[in-house]
Amino acid sequence: MASHDQSYRAGEVKGQTEERTNQTMENVRDKAQAAKDRTYEAAQQAKDKTSETAQQAKQRAAGTAEAGKQKTQETGQATGEKAEAAKEKTGGILKQTEEKVKDAAQSAADAVKHTFGFGGAGEEEERYGDRDRNTYTKG
């Protein structure tokens, strides 16, 4: 019977060992799956964060580009307005200068005509009125 008891106990120990081995293997599988799940979640969060950061950077870049474009347009418009004002001012100055030069040339021509007696009395009154009649005398 001792041999029967020993066989029985050996079988019982073997069964218990197999049960513990199975439990340990199951625990290892569960822990491995949990670690795999955590790793996947961490990777997904990192991916989402990277995507979000990239989107924010893209939006900031677009905003900066738009602000730069708007500033360039404003500067261009202001420059155009200043150029137009300068053009108008220069045109006015040139017109005034042209008129002064014409008047000076005409006055010089009239003085020469008057000096040599080419201008008639009526022409003198038309051009200068009473103001210059006393200034120029026919000689």
Side-chain angles (χ1 to χ4, degrees):
M1 272 227 197
S3 150
H4 184 311
D5 281 342
Q6 284 179 341
S7 271
Y8 176 77
R9 283 185 199 243
E12 197 174 72
V13 168
K14 181 180 176 191
Q16 290 174 352
T17 303
E18 285 179 6
E19 181 64 29
R20 285 189 189 139
T21 302
N22 288 338
Q23 287 176 354
T24 302
M25 290 300 289
E26 191 174 320
N27 284 339
V28 168
R29 276 190 225 113
D30 289 346
K31 288 180 182 180
Q33 185 63 43
K36 181 180 173 184
D37 291 346
R38 283 193 305 271
T39 302
Y40 174 79
E41 289 172 9
Q44 188 63 39
Q45 287 175 353
K47 179 182 171 187
D48 293 346
K49 183 67 175 173
T50 301
S51 177
E52 181 182 321
T53 302
Q55 185 64 29
Q56 289 173 350
K58 183 178 176 183
Q59 289 173 348
R60 278 191 296 252
T64 301
E66 184 61 32
K69 179 181 174 185
Q70 185 176 5
K71 184 68 174 174
T72 300
Q73 287 175 342
E74 291 171 0
T75 302
Q77 184 177 359
T79 301
E81 290 170 0
K82 287 179 183 177
E84 186 64 31
K87 179 180 172 184
E88 290 173 8
K89 184 177 180 182
T90 302
I93 291 171
L94 290 176
K95 185 68 174 170
Q96 290 174 356
T97 303
E98 176 188 1
E99 290 174 10
K100 287 180 182 178
V101 169
K102 281 183 181 179
D103 287 345
Q106 186 63 47
S107 294
D110 290 344
V112 169
K113 284 181 185 178
H114 182 70
T115 301
F116 291 109
F118 293 124
E123 181 180 316
E124 211 175 278
E125 286 182 22
E126 278 179 28
R127 180 97 178 131
Y128 299 106
D130 290 334
R131 147 181 92 90
D132 289 329
R133 190 178 325 154
N134 295 332
T135 306
Y136 296 105
T137 56
K138 289 188 177 186

